[in-house]
Amino acid sequence: MNSNKEQFVSIRPAHPLLQQHIAYYYFHSTFDPHFRRTFTYYPNYRVALNIFRHSDISWSGNKRLTLPDTSKKQTALLTFSTQNSRVVNMNGRIQKIGIIFEPLGFNHFIDVPAQRLISATINPFDFYGTTFFDMTTTVFEATSIAERRDVLDAFFLRHYRPFPMEELSLIIKDILRHNRQCSVQALAKSYNMSRRTLLRQFQNQLAHHIRGFSNLVRFRNTLQHYKAHQGTISLTQLAHDNTYYDQADFNKHIRAYTGLTPKHLFHQRREIGAPYTFWTEG
């Protein structure tokens, strides 16, 4: 999305190593003091790190309100997987950087289990201290999308570290590939782990249960599948292609994440600016 009032652009990391772990960066801005937007965004299994400039951000239940506040230089929020949709109200001038990590991608840039950084689904983020906000200030002030990307790339390359749990990485790939509910016992046996160890590692590193993560993968893949067919696929075929047991199972699953039936969800959906960005306006 690009207009005189609002810009929403995305770009992938340039460095091949980062492309394995960071899905994309996005930049959302408007300098219109009268700008207003309300939208609902849906659960995602990816980790998002969002940085706001000169904004006051408040929460009430599942609703987020963003208002201009020049006294607040920057606010960084780290968002882990959630099972619930959220409603966002944006008002006035907005400057925002989004960094969207692949599953386990975020874990390659920290030296502690991800669970230690979490006190809620959405968390204030200051892991890197002032160096992080010095970097994001440079990004906010950059004049081109490529320059913003390069500053972010350089920062994350400096903080890259190999993730030591190869089995967990392979299990994530297994879940993404099968696009269905995976048996914890079967996964543990396949990778020569105890069920208890697998559940503990999954929770520590992804802050999520395997069952919930698997369901989120199928939900997001269903959205992308519909998008790929540009709305021409029937809901019956969509349910079949994404391994739902039957239409009732499909309806229940979609409603649990969005509060909408599949028919209403796909009729109302809007996609703005970036891969995997999927929300409903209004």
Side-chain angles (χ1 to χ4, degrees), residues 42 235 247 250-256 258-268:
Y42 300 113
L235 295 182
Q247 200 67 32
F250 178 52
N251 292 347
K252 180 181 178 181
H253 188 80
I254 296 298
R255 187 186 287 273
T258 68
L260 301 171
T261 65
K263 181 179 179 179
H264 287 145
L265 171 69
F266 293 113
H267 175 71
Q268 295 179 23

Side-chain angles (χ1 to χ4, degrees), residues 25 71 90 94 108 127 131 154 161 163 165-166 177 179 190 204 212 222 248-249 260:
Y25 309 122
S71 70
M90 306 181 76
I94 299 291
H108 289 77
F127 181 78
T131 59
R161 61 185 65 238
F163 183 67
M165 299 180 185
E166 182 179 0
R177 181 170 62 251
N179 192 32
S190 296
N204 284 343
T222 300
D249 180 43
L260 301 171

Side-chain angles (χ1 to χ4, degrees), residues 7 17 28 34 37 42 52 72-73 121 218 222 238:
Q7 288 191 328
L17 178 63
H28 190 188
H34 304 294
R37 182 185 294 283
Y42 300 113
F52 298 81
K72 296 188 176 183
K73 293 183 179 180
T121 302
R218 182 166 56 165
T222 300
L238 187 65

Side-chain angles (χ1 to χ4, degrees), residues 2 8 15 26 53-54 80 82 105 111 116 121 126 139 152 162 176 197 199 206 209 256 262 279-280:
N2 290 280
F8 190 113
H15 197 283
Y26 73 82
R53 192 182 202 189
H54 302 319
F80 283 81
T82 174
D111 58 4
R116 294 189 187 177
T121 302
D126 61 357
V139 174
L152 288 163
L176 293 172
T197 297
L199 290 174
L206 287 102
H209 190 279
W279 62 40
T280 299

Side-chain angles (χ1 to χ4, degrees), residues 132-193:
F132 179 76
F133 292 105
D134 291 342
M135 179 274 294
T136 53
T137 295
T138 302
V139 174
F140 279 121
E141 294 177 354
T143 57
S144 73
I145 301 304
E147 184 182 353
R148 295 176 186 177
R149 175 203 61 201
D150 293 346
V151 173
L152 288 163
D153 272 12
F155 180 86
F156 285 108
L157 283 171
R158 287 197 301 273
H159 289 85
Y160 175 81
R161 61 185 65 238
F163 183 67
M165 299 180 185
E166 182 179 0
E167 295 88 352
L168 196 56
S169 297
L170 293 173
I171 287 169
I172 293 297
K173 291 178 181 178
D174 215 358
I175 293 172
L176 293 172
R177 181 170 62 251
H178 284 96
N179 192 32
R180 59 180 169 79
Q181 188 61 250
C182 296
S183 163
V184 176
Q185 192 63 41
L187 285 172
K189 183 177 181 180
S190 296
Y191 292 96
N192 196 29
M193 302 169 65

Side-chain angles (χ1 to χ4, degrees), residues 24-41:
Y24 58 95
Y25 309 122
Y26 73 82
F27 311 100
H28 190 188
S29 64
T30 174
F31 296 96
D32 178 5
H34 304 294
F35 175 79
R36 299 288 185 274
R37 182 185 294 283
T38 299
F39 62 89
T40 300
Y41 69 87

